[in-house]
Amino acid sequence: VGCTIKRIRFDRCSEPVRAFGNTITIALTGGAPGTFNATTRRLTKTGAFAGLNLGGSRVIFTGGTNVITSREFEVARQIDDNTIEFHESITTSGNPTDVTATTVYVGVQVRVVDAEGSLKSACNGISVIDDPVGPLVGCRHDLTIDRFRLTRGNAGYYAVVLGGTGLRRALISNVSVPNGTGGVKISESVTGIEEVRLKHITKLEETAAQHLFLLASPPSVLDISDCTLVTSGTSTASFCITDSVGTGTLSVFPRVYGGNNTFVMGGTSGYFLNLGGTGYSQIEYGHFTNTHVSGITGLVAAIASTGTAANKRSRITFDGLSIQATAANILSGQCDLKVTNWLLTSSGAFGWVANSTNP
């Protein structure tokens, strides 16, 4: 179940392209209740699935004896109009015959491919905002954006913005970002997202303060690979800057991976990773390979041990780091940083750790 938006063209648009997903509501009320067999992992109700093809969809249940309602279950296949089969049991025990949940929610896959255009006013390029309400609460979607070229943007806005509570996974690739516009933003409103993968996001000129990535909400797994940012002039943009959901709160990124990323800082300041946007952020485990940086203010700007961030150390490894000499220290704040297979690409030197009470 899903939709594909293909070959979008827009010129000097005053509204973003809005990608959204719908849901199918499968009622398991009225008449005989649904029946689940834990041995065959099949849910049966006469006519409940007529006209649908639910293989691969995600389902959330809201009722039934011993039925698990706290997580999603994937449909392995649809047998017929009356029966669907799951990869695993949806119960803690037994074979309930009273699966009378108000609804069963089925998420969709949303794809946006081959988009190109420009913006004339204050808005983002593609906004993906999904806040399911009422009977749709609990629906989760998978998103793919591939091949998006934005030729004109606006300061303070982004090529792609993820928002809302309905996203489960997002794959964003091959995005060209113009000068003066941010790359990809994960908004504060995003909650419970499992996986975000960012590949081939490129901005070859930035003269202002528009970061390539602004991450205000942490996915369970974040992968940033094959991305490039080049700044110049008075730019203060960073490759990736994290934020926190609410002033004084701590955002924890469990797993962050990256490979083959490049940050050429020709502006006045900028970090490869800045974990102190307007709040506190911590990376529990980060691993980057084949990273190329030059002219940077710092490689990692971690957070100080204060407030809710007290003793919340990040753990980050760079394997294969090409770095240009700089007078700045490459690390500040509380972070366990490991660098292996590194290459200094110019004469001079650099400091490893800033003087700090919590290096």
Side-chain angles (χ1 to χ4, degrees):
V1 182
C3 65
T4 298
I5 304 171
K6 296 187 68 175
R7 297 180 181 174
I8 304 168
R9 296 291 185 270
F10 55 93
D11 184 51
R12 296 183 65 79
C13 186
S14 60
E15 289 290 333
V17 175
R18 299 188 182 276
F20 57 91
N22 293 320
T23 64
I24 291 178
T25 302
I26 305 171
L28 292 181
T29 57
T35 298
F36 182 76
N37 186 306
T39 302
T40 62
R41 305 182 305 282
R42 292 181 178 180
L43 175 69
T44 301
K45 182 179 178 179
T46 301
F49 316 115
L52 303 176
N53 182 10
L54 301 181
S57 295
R58 295 274 178 159
V59 179
I60 295 179
F61 295 98
T62 59
T65 300
N66 296 325
V67 172
I68 300 170
T69 60
S70 60
R71 47 162 293 196
E72 301 173 348
F73 291 90
E74 183 173 347
V75 179
R77 58 177 177 150
Q78 180 168 329
I79 306 302
D80 52 34
D81 291 349
N82 313 312
T83 306
I84 55 177
E85 182 179 307
F86 292 86
H87 289 291
E88 56 186 319
S89 176
I90 67 169
T91 70
T92 55
S93 64
N95 300 304
T97 60
D98 60 344
V99 183
T100 55
T102 303
T103 51
V104 175
Y105 308 112
V106 183
V108 303
Q109 294 185 346
V110 181
R111 300 181 69 245
V112 181
V113 296
D114 292 327
E116 180 178 352
S118 64
L119 304 173
K120 70 175 183 179
S121 60
C123 66
N124 300 300
I126 297 179
S127 292
V128 184
I129 301 175
D130 186 341
D131 283 311
V133 296
L136 300 182
V137 171
C139 183
R140 307 293 299 281
H141 303 311
D142 290 352
L143 166 73
T144 298
I145 297 176
D146 187 27
R147 299 190 298 277
F148 175 39
R149 182 172 178 263
L150 187 64
T151 58
R152 183 180 185 274
N154 299 280
Y157 293 85
Y158 288 79
V160 177
V161 173
L162 305 182
T165 61
L167 284 172
R168 180 168 59 104
R169 293 192 183 98
L171 171 60
I172 303 173
S173 58
N174 299 304
V175 177
S176 178
V177 184
N179 181 29
T181 301
V184 177
K185 177 181 178 180
I186 303 179
S187 299
E188 294 87 345
S189 62
V190 175
T191 58
I193 189 167
E194 298 174 10
E195 182 180 3
V196 174
R197 298 191 181 276
L198 308 170
K199 297 177 67 68
H200 297 288
I201 316 295
T202 302
K203 179 158 57 167
L204 298 180
E205 181 185 14
E206 174 58 45
T207 59
Q210 306 305 307
H211 312 295
L212 190 59
F213 303 113
L214 174 61
L215 311 177
S217 186
S220 298
V221 175
L222 172 66
D223 187 348
I224 303 174
S225 299
D226 302 294
C227 298
T228 300
L229 171 64
V230 179
T231 68
S232 61
T234 58
S235 173
T236 57
S238 289
F239 182 85
C240 179
I241 186 169
T242 61
D243 206 339
S244 61
V245 183
T247 304
T249 60
L250 177 70
S251 292
V252 179
F253 291 74
R255 297 289 184 270
V256 179
Y257 303 95
N260 302 311
N261 294 306
T262 299
F263 177 32
V264 179
M265 196 206 85
T268 56
S269 66
Y271 297 87
F272 182 78
L273 287 178
N274 186 346
L275 304 184
T278 59
Y280 306 132
S281 297
Q282 175 194 17
I283 295 178
E284 290 187 323
Y285 176 82
H287 193 274
F288 294 84
T289 59
N290 300 326
T291 305
H292 308 274
V293 294
S294 63
I296 57 172
T297 303
L299 184 67
V300 177
I303 51 179
S305 182
T306 182
T308 56
N311 301 315
K312 300 297 184 181
R313 301 183 66 81
S314 295
R315 296 175 58 231
I316 303 173
T317 296
F318 284 85
D319 183 15
L321 173 66
S322 172
I323 185 170
Q324 190 180 53
T326 174
N329 297 292
I330 69 170
L331 171 64
S332 60
Q334 50 176 346
C335 176
D336 297 328
L337 177 66
K338 180 180 180 180
V339 180
T340 59
N341 299 311
W342 59 278
L343 173 67
L344 188 64
T345 59
S346 64
S347 60
F350 57 83
W352 280 99
V353 180
N355 293 329
S356 172
T357 57
N358 43 60

